[in-house]
Amino acid sequence: MEPTELFKEAVLWEPAEGGWVRCYLCNFHCRIGEGKLGHCQVRKNIGGKLYSLNYGKIVAANPDPIEKKPLYHFQPGSRSFSIAAIGCNFRCEFCQNWQISQAALETGRIDGEEASPEQIVTGAVRTGCKSVAYTYTEPTIFMEMCNDCARPAKEKGLANVFVSNGYMTREAIDFAADWLDAINVDLKAFTDEYYKRLCKSRLQPVLDSIAYIARQTKIWIEITTLLLPGQNDSEEELKKLADWLVAEAGPDVPWHISRFYPQYKYTDSAPTPLESLQRAERIGKAAGLHYVYLGNVPGTKSENTYCYKCGRTLIERTGYWIGANHIKDSKCPQCGTQIAGVGL
Ligand code: SF4
């Protein structure tokens, strides 16, 4: 099979013996034989070279509030032009976007509207966005499109943000570090057993990515944990997770604790009780995290940003919308404490 015009040669792979290739974009490190697909179903060995099959095939393009990513400490109140291509390297049974993330696996097709990087950037500028977000599915596995959009986006003064499962390799983080300004990483649980059983992946590479991004790069990072009743919400596990975040990512990393609603293959569970979310919030704060938020529960005060020193309300939120932002020059107007983030 010859690569078509739309297939783009992949980044971060190397040839192996006998026409095989090895992909090191994500931590599955697939070895792929001639004519075969990687685990993500969107990268293919064609004639001993690895190609991206979802390049330029866009399945979503929306000017979202940046708060929807969620990123609460990065250009708050701005809009982010949010795009996705089909595919994911995880198989989460509770995926909220499974119609696009798992489409290649479920249907064998890689659909999408053809769009060039220039069209994406023009769309972002035209809709008044301050950034381009690579989101809804896993951006790592449409890295070539991200790279080609991000560079012209930067030239237009736009930032670039990922919403990711954190399974990319260190090489992939380094590859994106020139143009990636912010990332929200899902830390789905704090046991390998959960990752294996419900996501068909592993915990440790995600921890490695979070620690590396937080300590070794300038990329702004926030964390999201979806609480599944009875699966990842025990006091012991959440305490370990929060302690780890403080130690490895620092107390300024915002932690979003998100409410689960039944989705995809995981429909036998009730939504996360509010008490579980509030208990997790208390655990996060007790561990020393400065900014802990509840997601998917509009109307609670836990969507607001508070000064961790004096308690002053700094950013008032209702759902994805900002009522007021009282932060002055990245500081609390009451006690002068520095508030971590970008463009606050
Ligand atoms: S990006 Fe896809 S092909 Fe590459 S290692 Fe990950 S799952 Fe395998």
Side-chain angles (χ1 to χ4, degrees):
M1 178 184 178
E2 291 294 315
T4 74
E5 268 178 30
L6 261 182
F7 294 174
K8 173 101 170 171
E9 187 173 338
V11 296
L12 303 182
W13 67 277
E14 60 190 15
E17 271 179 31
W20 288 64
V21 300
R22 190 180 74 90
C23 177
Y24 54 96
L25 184 59
C26 90
N27 275 292
F28 281 104
H29 286 124
C30 297
R31 276 188 86 247
I32 308 168
E34 161 68 37
K36 302 287 189 213
L37 297 165
H39 175 72
C40 56
Q41 307 290 304
V42 294
R43 305 172 84 73
K44 187 170 189 175
N45 177 344
I46 304 173
K49 279 187 176 178
L50 190 62
Y51 287 87
S52 161
L53 308 185
N54 58 1
Y55 185 86
K57 294 179 181 173
I58 298 303
V59 286
N62 305 304
D64 284 344
I66 192 89
E67 283 73 19
K68 191 175 176 183
K69 303 302 104 197
L71 285 168
Y72 278 15
H73 288 238
F74 186 83
Q75 301 179 338
S78 68
R79 291 201 288 180
S80 189
F81 199 73
S82 302
I83 66 164
I86 274 181
C88 190
N89 46 358
F90 277 21
R91 304 280 176 264
C92 302
E93 293 189 8
F94 45 82
C95 182
Q96 295 175 9
N97 292 323
W98 63 272
Q99 290 95 336
I100 49 178
S101 74
Q102 303 300 321
L105 193 71
E106 298 270 353
T107 67
R109 293 201 318 270
I110 300 172
D111 295 329
E113 253 183 59
E114 284 182 33
S116 69
E118 292 70 29
Q119 286 171 314
I120 300 296
V121 174
T122 302
V125 171
R126 200 185 58 237
T127 51
C129 291
K130 284 181 81 174
S131 58
V132 180
Y134 311 91
T135 177
Y136 307 133
T137 59
E138 176 50 45
T140 305
I141 62 162
F142 61 98
M143 183 68 92
E144 295 76 13
M145 186 66 180
C146 300
N147 184 53
D148 286 359
C149 291
R151 294 181 186 280
K154 281 258 155 210
E155 285 166 17
K156 295 282 184 194
L158 302 171
N160 295 289
V161 309
F162 269 19
V163 180
S164 173
N165 58 30
Y167 217 63
M168 67 278 275
T169 57
R170 188 164 294 193
E171 290 92 338
I173 296 169
D174 290 342
F175 177 82
D178 278 352
W179 44 256
L180 187 60
D181 299 282
I183 187 168
N184 185 301
V185 177
D186 273 345
L187 180 50
K188 294 173 188 287
F190 208 65
T191 65
D192 200 45
E193 190 276 330
Y194 178 103
Y195 268 84
K196 278 186 182 149
R197 181 165 50 88
L198 291 172
C199 307
K200 305 291 177 283
S201 58
R202 289 177 299 136
L203 169 64
Q204 190 59 49
V206 180
L207 298 180
D208 293 344
S209 290
I210 292 170
Y212 184 68
I213 292 168
R215 290 172 164 202
Q216 307 287 339
T217 75
K218 294 189 172 140
I219 302 165
W220 174 254
I221 183 169
E222 304 192 16
I223 304 295
T224 296
T225 302
L226 182 75
L227 280 197
L228 258 67
Q231 299 288 357
N232 61 354
D233 58 350
S234 76
E235 181 146 359
E236 185 191 6
E237 180 171 345
L238 291 172
K239 189 164 179 345
K240 279 187 193 159
L241 186 156
D243 286 345
W244 183 88
L245 274 182
V246 172
E248 300 298 331
D252 279 336
V253 68
W255 185 32
H256 302 264
I257 305 158
S258 193
R259 185 177 215 178
F260 157 84
Y261 287 96
Q263 289 286 344
Y264 192 31
K265 297 177 178 172
Y266 202 92
T267 52
D268 287 341
S269 169
T272 319
L274 186 58
E275 307 82 67
S276 299
L277 296 157
Q278 290 171 330
R279 187 165 50 99
E281 181 185 22
R282 285 195 296 276
I283 290 169
K285 288 184 177 166
L289 288 169
H290 292 163
Y291 311 105
V292 183
Y293 299 103
L294 298 189
N296 287 346
V297 275
T300 72
K301 292 200 179 317
S302 300
E303 297 176 312
N304 297 338
T305 298
Y306 300 95
C307 175
Y308 68 92
K309 278 261 175 73
C310 72
R312 166 86 154 91
T313 305
L314 298 175
I315 302 178
E316 299 167 28
R317 295 186 185 83
T318 306
Y320 303 134
W321 307 105
I322 293 218
N325 180 351
H326 305 286
I327 298 173
K328 292 271 176 295
D329 300 327
S330 299
K331 290 187 176 141
C332 170
Q334 184 163 281
C335 70
T337 295
Q338 188 80 26
I339 307 302
V342 177
L344 298 180

